[in-house]
Amino acid sequence: AGEGGGGGGGGEGGSGGGEAIIISGKKVSEEIRDEIRVQTDKLKREHGVTPGLAVVLVGNRTDSATYVRAKKAMAESVGFLSVDCAFDENASQQEVLDCVHALNEDPRVHAILVQLPLPAHIDEHKIVSAVRVDKDVDGFSTDNIGNLALRGGKPPLAVPCTPAGCVELLQRSGIDVRGKEAVVLGRSNIVGMPVALLLQSMDATVTVCHSRTRNIQEHIARADVVIAALGKAEFVRGEWLKPGCVVIDVGINSKPDPTAKRGYRLVGDVHYESAARVAGWITPVPGGVGPMTIVMLMRNTLNLCRHSLGLERLPLRRAPTHKGR
């Protein structure tokens, strides 16, 4: 189903030994947000339909509430209908399931997001699996992941948001990954596994490293593209990198910093200062992959709305790769 396509035009970055070109997720996400707003206005004008995003929030976690507010604000900024389903910490599993089932049948709602994690007494898998595939905005259903993995056939209705954001950052920076060595650090269902599938669909040669990988530095040293998504603060050092490579840092970790107002600062899985002196391109933390995740959620919502109307979905910018070995 080769969702990623062939990459960009192979633009030139740094060759190592200088300062890397910064790939700004903030700038790219704003471009995509504006494109979504235009497409949303067109849907309203030509079809009389407003894309609808429902968010299910259970409990009082501050971080989850912050994420939900950000998603709601973005949805409203692009002209979507935003539906909130908030439960307190003690809500029963059946109550949440009933809510998901009702949203599945609500014609105003084209996309459903269950904000994770859920409280310990609720079975996350059962709740998430209850979301109908044609409203699976996260793209994590077995149907969507299966279609992402298959070559040929139909594309997924939604692509996992963070991996899709990584692909957009590469393509909109003019970086062509065809035939290049790509190393993905981490094999999670949320980032590592789907981003590896996307890179393969873009004709990269992909190696996935994880906690049991031996000599991980050797794999990183030959990579033209490094996608770091392993959740270890500043794990990747600049001296491990191939000069001129591309570094997409998905990690977001807090590091104690007595000089910072909050007593900590956010860092990625890559040691930015040393990596920026070797890489050709690099994403900052914060301001790199982070802003992309929410805007790709919005584009998935738009695509699910288009699907409900029998319209073609908007692909990840490039045409799918050729069929072949």
Side-chain angles (χ1 to χ4, degrees), residues 143-170:
D143 279 7
N144 278 324
I145 292 295
N147 284 326
L148 181 65
L150 292 173
R151 295 182 64 79
K154 60 182 182 180
L157 296 178
V159 180
C161 301
T162 302
C166 293
V167 167
E168 282 286 2
L169 290 175
L170 290 169

Side-chain angles (χ1 to χ4, degrees), residues 100-129:
V100 170
H101 291 317
L103 293 171
N104 280 339
E105 301 306 318
D106 189 338
R108 303 172 305 152
V109 173
H110 304 99
I112 301 171
L113 171 73
V114 179
Q115 183 65 46
L116 303 179
L118 294 173
H121 67 281
I122 295 179
D123 183 340
E124 283 189 359
H125 177 72
K126 190 165 188 176
I127 301 298
V128 172
S129 298

